Amino acid sequence: SRKLMRALVTGFEAFGGDSVNATQSALKRLPPFIKQLEIETLLLPVSFARAPAVLAAGIEQFAPEVVLCTGEAGDRHGFCLERVATNLCDARIPDNDGARPTGCKSIEDGPAAYFSTLPVNNMLAALRGAGLPSEISNSAGGYVCNHVFYALMHMAAAGGHRWRGGFLHVPQAFDAVARPQARLLLDDVVRAIVVALDAAAPHRAAG
């Protein structure tokens, strides 16, 4: 029988005064398996100080082959596959600890940027093929999302890990109470993560 591969998907708790976060809701609805991928999920705090350590502990616990971090961006109208993580914290609003770093580095002696090691072009084609509004983004912003994406790629580079990692920004999802104005259904967010993961899984030999 074919060996299952493991993917770790992370999302964030609510922040910025919101009562919901589309990625937190989507994590709870992900299937345990997508074809030959076994799915593990991890909720991260919206905290510059705490999120990287929670991510590192999850990677150690689950030993995944693929890591897809997801975050919500209220100003995006579609799904954004992030290509680049930059070594910059530049918060427009405070995080959930009340911290608001501006113009400083994520990791003091780290390189200026890292590229995603997930096949973003394949993932984009798959998302668009599924009828989901999607694009590749060259800026993950200056908030905790980018900070976590950078920490993820720095971990991979510094630790010689063999997993591949990247980041997907999702738009706000419809919630009848909290967000009646949002354009996308939560089902779309779940479907986008599933489609992206399936396209991100390293090609396996049959047999």
Side-chain angles (χ1 to χ4, degrees), residues 42-192:
L42 179 67
L43 188 67
L44 300 178
V46 179
S47 161
F48 282 98
R50 293 180 289 126
V54 176
L55 175 65
I59 287 172
E60 193 170 319
Q61 178 186 347
F62 295 120
E65 279 96 348
V66 173
V67 183
L68 179 64
C69 296
T70 68
E72 186 186 275
D75 57 345
R76 313 269 180 124
H77 299 315
F79 297 95
C80 294
L81 290 156
E82 299 297 345
R83 200 195 317 256
V84 190
T86 55
N87 194 2
L88 173 70
C89 297
D90 197 33
R92 194 173 45 81
I93 58 172
D95 69 8
N96 285 356
D97 295 339
R100 195 187 158 200
T102 50
C104 61
K105 290 186 171 181
S106 279
I107 294 175
E108 197 47 53
D109 56 351
Y114 287 109
F115 283 102
S116 169
T117 49
L118 295 179
V120 289
N121 293 323
N122 289 2
M123 294 163 78
L124 179 69
L127 286 165
R128 287 184 170 169
L132 294 158
S134 308
E135 61 188 78
I136 289 175
S137 158
N138 292 319
S139 172
Y143 201 52
V144 184
C145 287
N146 174 74
H147 183 59
V148 159
F149 182 18
Y150 187 87
L152 173 73
M153 303 320 298
H154 186 72
M155 240 181 282
H161 292 283
R162 61 190 192 86
W163 41 264
R164 308 200 301 187
F167 199 99
L168 175 70
H169 259 124
V170 311
Q172 288 188 339
F174 185 88
D175 178 294
V177 179
R179 296 211 177 118
Q181 80 293 354
R183 294 167 180 78
L184 275 184
L185 295 170
L186 183 58
D187 285 353
D188 294 324
V189 177
V190 174
R191 194 158 57 94

